[in-house]
């Protein structure tokens, strides 16, 4: 079978990562390392699930933080909605004590509370076995995503003496397929001409 394009091509990497062209034989080292890390994480999860104890996964959604309370409340509502989704997908299936329980929290980089360290502590207080942080930002290359948030998390890990795995995902804006779909949906909803293209003749 022909390998999937995204097994050897990452549209977020610089074109300089592909000096010999895009092919399965010329996978960039950076992409290879990312895939090896993902495989290692999956193996860790598989091993931990065999000990019979229900594991808890903490998810921390993080945004910049705003002086406008409505903006901060929006992230909290998003976390609550995501919690409902996780309850339906994972938590409702774990009555036998197996599998994972997912706990979702929200935090802000600055200006508003809870802060990112406070969000991490809240997850530790409920006994999570792993924390996955997600930056709710559009740009994957901005200073907050590249520098500020990683530094805040690193400091919090040291101050709180966190001994469990803490990982940070790429920001939501890094998923080009998702973003293009959302943009097109909004554009189409607001364009009379595009809407007319699908109208029955």
């Amino acid at each position: 079978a022909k390998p999937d394009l995204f097994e050897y091509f990452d549209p977020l990497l610089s074109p300089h990562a592909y000096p010999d062209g895009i092919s399965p034989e010329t996978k960039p080292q950076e992409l290879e390392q990312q895939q090896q890390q993902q495989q290692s994480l999956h193996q860790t999860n598989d091993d931990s699930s065999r000990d019979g104890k229900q594991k808890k996964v903490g998810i921390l959604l993080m945004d910049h933080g705003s002086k406008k309370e409505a903006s901060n409340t929006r992230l909290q509502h998003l976390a609550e909605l995501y919690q409902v989704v996780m309850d339906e997908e994972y938590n409702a299936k774990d009555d036998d004590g197996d599998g994972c329980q997912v706990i979702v929290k929200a935090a802000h980089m600055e200006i508003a509370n809870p802060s990112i360290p406070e969000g991490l502590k809240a997850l530790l207080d409920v006994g999570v076995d792993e924390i996955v942080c997600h930056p709710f930002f559009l740009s994957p290359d901005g200073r907050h995503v590249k520098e500020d948030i990683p530094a805040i998390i690193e400091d919090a890990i040291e101050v709180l003496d966190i001994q469990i795995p803490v990982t940070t995902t790429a920001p939501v804006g890094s998923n080009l397929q998702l973003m293009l779909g959302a943009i097109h949906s909004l554009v189409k909803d607001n364009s009379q001409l595009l809407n007319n293209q699908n109208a029955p003749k």
Side-chain angles (χ1 to χ4, degrees), residues 161-172:
D161 191 26
I162 299 178
Q163 302 295 322
I164 61 174
V166 179
T167 57
T168 303
T169 74
V172 65

Side-chain angles (χ1 to χ4, degrees), residues 163-183:
Q163 302 295 322
I164 61 174
V166 179
T167 57
T168 303
T169 74
V172 65
S174 67
N175 190 321
L176 297 181
Q177 184 175 0
L178 177 65
M179 296 303 296
L180 289 174
I183 292 170

Side-chain angles (χ1 to χ4, degrees), residues 48-83:
S48 65
S49 66
R50 297 191 187 104
D51 63 9
K53 177 186 174 183
Q54 185 186 48
K55 299 297 184 180
K56 294 182 179 180
V57 177
I59 299 175
L60 187 64
L61 305 184
M62 310 171 298
D63 69 0
H64 182 276
S66 173
K67 294 180 180 179
K68 296 182 178 180
E69 186 59 32
S71 297
N72 301 321
T73 301
R74 179 175 176 78
L75 185 69
Q76 180 60 42
H77 287 168
L78 181 64
E80 293 170 357
L81 289 172
Y82 191 28
Q83 182 70 70

Side-chain angles (χ1 to χ4, degrees), residues 29-128:
Q29 183 178 2
E30 184 176 348
L31 181 58
E32 184 76 39
Q33 291 174 346
Q34 291 174 359
Q35 293 174 344
Q36 289 176 352
Q37 290 173 354
Q38 290 174 351
Q39 291 174 357
S40 175
L41 178 59
H42 289 320
Q43 181 62 47
T44 300
N45 291 341
D46 290 342
D47 293 341
S48 65
S49 66
R50 297 191 187 104
D51 63 9
K53 177 186 174 183
Q54 185 186 48
K55 299 297 184 180
K56 294 182 179 180
V57 177
I59 299 175
L60 187 64
L61 305 184
M62 310 171 298
D63 69 0
H64 182 276
S66 173
K67 294 180 180 179
K68 296 182 178 180
E69 186 59 32
S71 297
N72 301 321
T73 301
R74 179 175 176 78
L75 185 69
Q76 180 60 42
H77 287 168
L78 181 64
E80 293 170 357
L81 289 172
Y82 191 28
Q83 182 70 70
V84 171
V85 173
M86 293 297 96
D87 287 343
E88 293 178 351
E89 184 169 351
Y90 295 103
N91 299 348
K93 300 177 182 179
D94 294 331
D95 294 337
D96 58 359
D98 295 330
C100 289
Q101 179 184 1
V102 180
I103 301 167
V104 183
K105 300 288 186 181
H108 311 287
M109 188 188 78
E110 60 184 14
I111 300 176
N113 292 323
S115 65
I116 292 175
E118 289 170 342
L120 293 170
K121 186 177 185 305
L123 291 171
L124 292 173
D125 288 344
V126 296
V128 299

Side-chain angles (χ1 to χ4, degrees), residues 148-163:
D148 298 336
I149 287 179
I152 292 171
I153 292 175
E154 184 177 352
D155 289 345
I157 290 174
E158 182 176 353
V159 171
L160 298 173
D161 191 26
I162 299 178
Q163 302 295 322

